[in-house]
Amino acid sequence: NVVLDYRPGKGAGNLRLSAERAVIFMEPGSVRDLASRQLGMDEIRGVYLEGAVKAESDKDDYVVRAPRMYYDFQSDRAIMLDAVLRTYDRKRALPVFARASEMRQIAENQWDAKHVTVSSSSFATPTLAIGARSVVVDQVPGGLTETGEEAQSELMIDASGNTLEAGGFPLLWWPRYTGTIETIPLRGIRGGWGEYEGAIVETTWDFFSLAGWQRPQ
């Protein structure tokens, strides 16, 4: 029943790590010295967490859950196995869920995942999702625009080896997708029955998103 509060400073958000068990890795030295002095943060290399692991940021509104995780404090990076990332696209008011066999936090607002499913649904088998060999989820920070208006942060996805899935069923493969979770190529799908055609499955696609092109105004 371990809880660690990590406050890196310099404008970064605070991070809370919790788990059933933990191992803290420190710089080499005598264990006896710890009894007579206060331990400095620069002496802690990282922490290995196991059992119902949860990492939660109070600034960037993201939560990662995993059975096992290692967090490197010196590089501010982490690796998680069988992880579920839940974050939020403020610009579109849209939640984003990423489930992966292996996930790495490579920067404060960036994650790299292998064998992953990305969707806007909290269900284990979402209605519509992108399955990919590898995905980079990047939280683009908000700020003031040239006109002085405040822009909300948004999430960008760069996925390779993609399979568009509906209810866990693969519909289409394409090599790469870059964009938001909201602009995936499939716009609609429906089924039916025709007297002469028999069973019918009709799909509607966004050609610009499928081709990776910027949609014209």
Side-chain angles (χ1 to χ4, degrees), residues 5-15 41 58 71 73 76 108:
D5 285 308
Y6 177 45
R7 301 179 176 87
K10 297 181 181 180
N14 298 330
L15 184 67
M41 183 62 203
D58 64 354
Y71 199 101
F73 291 118
D76 269 337
E108 183 183 357

Side-chain angles (χ1 to χ4, degrees), residues 11-89:
N14 298 330
L15 184 67
R16 169 163 289 192
L17 303 169
S18 61
E20 295 176 356
R21 297 170 295 278
V23 178
I24 297 176
F25 293 86
M26 298 177 294
E27 293 289 343
S30 172
V31 178
R32 291 191 180 94
D33 293 343
L34 299 179
S36 58
R37 63 180 178 84
Q38 188 174 3
L39 186 65
M41 183 62 203
D42 57 345
E43 298 177 84
I44 301 178
R45 290 185 172 182
V47 59
Y48 169 75
L49 302 161
E50 186 178 78
V53 183
K54 180 180 177 182
E56 187 173 9
S57 171
D58 64 354
K59 175 185 177 183
D60 302 306
D61 194 22
Y62 74 81
V63 177
V64 180
R65 299 179 185 272
R68 289 177 289 170
M69 178 187 301
Y70 179 77
Y71 199 101
D72 188 327
F73 291 118
Q74 295 182 344
S75 65
D76 269 337
R77 295 188 174 192
I79 180 171
M80 315 141 213
L81 301 179
D82 298 323
V84 178
L85 165 69
R86 183 199 181 280
T87 186
Y88 194 72
D89 190 330

